[in-house]
Short mmCIF file of all heavy atoms in Angstrom, two decimals:
data_model
loop_
_atom_site.label_atom_id
_atom_site.label_comp_id
_atom_site.label_asym_id
_atom_site.label_seq_id
_atom_site.Cartn_x
_atom_site.Cartn_y
_atom_site.Cartn_z
N LEU A 37 0.24 104.81 -23.77
CA LEU A 37 1.18 105.64 -23.01
C LEU A 37 0.40 106.56 -22.06
O LEU A 37 -0.70 107.00 -22.37
CB LEU A 37 2.04 106.49 -23.96
CG LEU A 37 3.00 105.72 -24.88
CD1 LEU A 37 3.72 106.68 -25.81
CD2 LEU A 37 4.00 104.90 -24.07
N SER A 38 1.02 106.84 -20.91
CA SER A 38 0.36 107.70 -19.91
C SER A 38 0.52 109.17 -20.27
O SER A 38 1.40 109.55 -21.06
CB SER A 38 1.00 107.45 -18.54
OG SER A 38 2.33 107.95 -18.57
N ALA A 39 -0.31 109.99 -19.63
CA ALA A 39 -0.20 111.46 -19.82
C ALA A 39 1.19 111.94 -19.39
O ALA A 39 1.79 112.81 -20.03
CB ALA A 39 -1.29 112.14 -19.03
N GLU A 40 1.73 111.34 -18.34
CA GLU A 40 3.06 111.74 -17.84
C GLU A 40 4.13 111.47 -18.90
O GLU A 40 4.98 112.32 -19.19
CB GLU A 40 3.35 110.95 -16.55
CG GLU A 40 4.60 111.39 -15.84
CD GLU A 40 5.11 110.37 -14.80
OE1 GLU A 40 4.55 109.25 -14.70
OE2 GLU A 40 6.11 110.70 -14.13
N ALA A 41 4.08 110.28 -19.48
CA ALA A 41 5.08 109.93 -20.51
C ALA A 41 4.93 110.85 -21.72
O ALA A 41 5.93 111.34 -22.27
CB ALA A 41 4.90 108.47 -20.93
N LEU A 42 3.70 111.13 -22.11
CA LEU A 42 3.50 111.98 -23.30
C LEU A 42 3.94 113.41 -23.05
O LEU A 42 4.53 114.04 -23.93
CB LEU A 42 2.03 111.92 -23.73
CG LEU A 42 1.72 110.57 -24.38
CD1 LEU A 42 0.23 110.31 -24.43
CD2 LEU A 42 2.33 110.48 -25.77
N ASP A 43 3.69 113.91 -21.83
CA ASP A 43 4.17 115.26 -21.48
C ASP A 43 5.67 115.34 -21.66
O ASP A 43 6.21 116.29 -22.21
CB ASP A 43 3.89 115.53 -19.99
CG ASP A 43 2.56 116.21 -19.80
OD1 ASP A 43 1.94 116.57 -20.80
OD2 ASP A 43 2.17 116.35 -18.63
N CYS A 44 6.33 114.31 -21.16
CA CYS A 44 7.80 114.27 -21.20
C CYS A 44 8.29 114.18 -22.65
O CYS A 44 9.12 114.99 -23.10
CB CYS A 44 8.24 113.08 -20.36
SG CYS A 44 9.93 112.60 -20.58
N PHE A 45 7.77 113.25 -23.42
CA PHE A 45 8.30 113.04 -24.78
C PHE A 45 7.86 114.16 -25.74
O PHE A 45 8.55 114.42 -26.72
CB PHE A 45 7.93 111.65 -25.30
CG PHE A 45 8.71 110.57 -24.60
CD1 PHE A 45 8.09 109.63 -23.79
CD2 PHE A 45 10.10 110.53 -24.71
CE1 PHE A 45 8.83 108.67 -23.11
CE2 PHE A 45 10.85 109.57 -24.04
CZ PHE A 45 10.21 108.64 -23.24
N ARG A 46 6.74 114.81 -25.43
CA ARG A 46 6.33 115.95 -26.29
C ARG A 46 7.43 117.01 -26.25
O ARG A 46 7.87 117.53 -27.28
CB ARG A 46 5.01 116.53 -25.79
CG ARG A 46 4.42 117.57 -26.74
CD ARG A 46 3.13 118.17 -26.19
NE ARG A 46 2.28 117.17 -25.60
CZ ARG A 46 1.90 117.13 -24.32
NH1 ARG A 46 2.26 118.07 -23.49
NH2 ARG A 46 1.15 116.17 -23.86
N THR A 47 7.94 117.30 -25.06
CA THR A 47 8.99 118.31 -24.93
C THR A 47 10.30 117.83 -25.55
O THR A 47 10.94 118.53 -26.33
CB THR A 47 9.23 118.61 -23.42
OG1 THR A 47 7.98 118.90 -22.84
CG2 THR A 47 10.20 119.75 -23.21
N VAL A 48 10.68 116.61 -25.20
CA VAL A 48 11.95 116.06 -25.68
C VAL A 48 11.98 116.03 -27.22
O VAL A 48 12.96 116.45 -27.86
CB VAL A 48 12.12 114.62 -25.11
CG1 VAL A 48 13.15 113.83 -25.87
CG2 VAL A 48 12.44 114.67 -23.62
N ILE A 49 10.89 115.56 -27.81
CA ILE A 49 10.86 115.39 -29.27
C ILE A 49 10.71 116.74 -29.97
O ILE A 49 11.37 117.01 -30.98
CB ILE A 49 9.78 114.36 -29.67
CG1 ILE A 49 10.22 112.98 -29.17
CG2 ILE A 49 9.56 114.33 -31.19
CD1 ILE A 49 9.19 111.89 -29.24
N ALA A 50 9.88 117.62 -29.41
CA ALA A 50 9.74 118.96 -30.03
C ALA A 50 11.10 119.68 -30.00
O ALA A 50 11.47 120.35 -30.98
CB ALA A 50 8.68 119.77 -29.30
N ASP A 51 11.84 119.56 -28.93
CA ASP A 51 13.17 120.21 -28.86
C ASP A 51 14.11 119.63 -29.91
O ASP A 51 14.86 120.34 -30.56
CB ASP A 51 13.80 120.04 -27.46
CG ASP A 51 13.09 120.89 -26.42
OD1 ASP A 51 12.24 121.72 -26.81
OD2 ASP A 51 13.36 120.71 -25.22
N GLN A 52 14.07 118.31 -30.06
CA GLN A 52 14.96 117.66 -31.03
C GLN A 52 14.57 118.03 -32.46
O GLN A 52 15.43 118.28 -33.31
CB GLN A 52 14.92 116.13 -30.82
CG GLN A 52 15.92 115.36 -31.66
CD GLN A 52 17.38 115.76 -31.38
OE1 GLN A 52 17.74 116.12 -30.25
NE2 GLN A 52 18.21 115.70 -32.41
N VAL A 53 13.26 118.12 -32.71
CA VAL A 53 12.79 118.55 -34.05
C VAL A 53 13.27 119.98 -34.32
O VAL A 53 13.76 120.29 -35.42
CB VAL A 53 11.25 118.44 -34.14
CG1 VAL A 53 10.70 119.19 -35.36
CG2 VAL A 53 10.84 116.97 -34.21
N ALA A 54 13.16 120.84 -33.34
CA ALA A 54 13.59 122.24 -33.53
C ALA A 54 15.08 122.28 -33.86
O ALA A 54 15.52 123.07 -34.71
CB ALA A 54 13.28 123.05 -32.28
N LYS A 55 15.87 121.41 -33.22
CA LYS A 55 17.32 121.37 -33.51
C LYS A 55 17.61 120.88 -34.92
O LYS A 55 18.54 121.34 -35.57
CB LYS A 55 18.01 120.38 -32.54
CG LYS A 55 18.45 121.00 -31.25
CD LYS A 55 19.29 120.00 -30.47
CE LYS A 55 19.24 120.36 -29.00
NZ LYS A 55 19.38 119.24 -28.10
N MET A 56 16.84 119.91 -35.38
CA MET A 56 17.16 119.26 -36.66
C MET A 56 16.50 119.94 -37.86
O MET A 56 16.97 119.78 -38.99
CB MET A 56 16.69 117.78 -36.62
CG MET A 56 17.46 116.94 -35.62
SD MET A 56 16.67 115.31 -35.35
CE MET A 56 17.13 114.44 -36.84
N ASN A 57 15.43 120.66 -37.62
CA ASN A 57 14.67 121.20 -38.76
C ASN A 57 15.47 122.24 -39.55
O ASN A 57 16.08 123.13 -38.97
CB ASN A 57 13.38 121.85 -38.25
CG ASN A 57 12.58 122.45 -39.38
OD1 ASN A 57 12.47 121.85 -40.45
ND2 ASN A 57 12.06 123.64 -39.17
N THR A 58 15.45 122.09 -40.87
CA THR A 58 16.15 123.07 -41.73
C THR A 58 15.15 123.80 -42.64
O THR A 58 15.56 124.63 -43.45
CB THR A 58 17.17 122.35 -42.64
OG1 THR A 58 16.48 121.34 -43.37
CG2 THR A 58 18.31 121.74 -41.85
N VAL A 59 13.86 123.47 -42.53
CA VAL A 59 12.86 124.10 -43.41
C VAL A 59 12.54 125.50 -42.88
O VAL A 59 12.09 125.66 -41.75
CB VAL A 59 11.56 123.26 -43.46
CG1 VAL A 59 10.50 123.95 -44.29
CG2 VAL A 59 11.86 121.88 -44.01
N LYS A 60 12.79 126.49 -43.72
CA LYS A 60 12.56 127.87 -43.30
C LYS A 60 11.46 128.55 -44.13
O LYS A 60 11.01 129.63 -43.80
CB LYS A 60 13.85 128.71 -43.44
CG LYS A 60 15.04 128.17 -42.66
CD LYS A 60 14.96 128.53 -41.17
CE LYS A 60 16.17 128.00 -40.42
NZ LYS A 60 15.86 126.89 -39.53
N THR A 61 11.05 127.90 -45.23
CA THR A 61 10.07 128.51 -46.12
C THR A 61 8.68 128.51 -45.48
O THR A 61 8.37 127.64 -44.66
CB THR A 61 9.97 127.73 -47.44
OG1 THR A 61 9.85 126.34 -47.12
CG2 THR A 61 11.17 127.95 -48.31
N SER A 62 7.84 129.46 -45.88
CA SER A 62 6.47 129.50 -45.35
C SER A 62 5.67 128.40 -46.05
O SER A 62 6.03 127.93 -47.14
CB SER A 62 5.83 130.86 -45.56
OG SER A 62 5.69 131.08 -46.94
#
Side-chain angles (χ1 to χ4, degrees):
L37 294 177
S38 68
E40 187 196 6
L42 287 163
D43 268 353
C44 166
F45 288 115
R46 189 182 318 118
T47 308
V48 162
I49 292 169
D51 288 352
Q52 187 60 32
V53 166
K55 271 189 204 151
M56 293 168 76
N57 178 42
T58 55
V59 176
K60 302 281 181 251
T61 48
S62 65

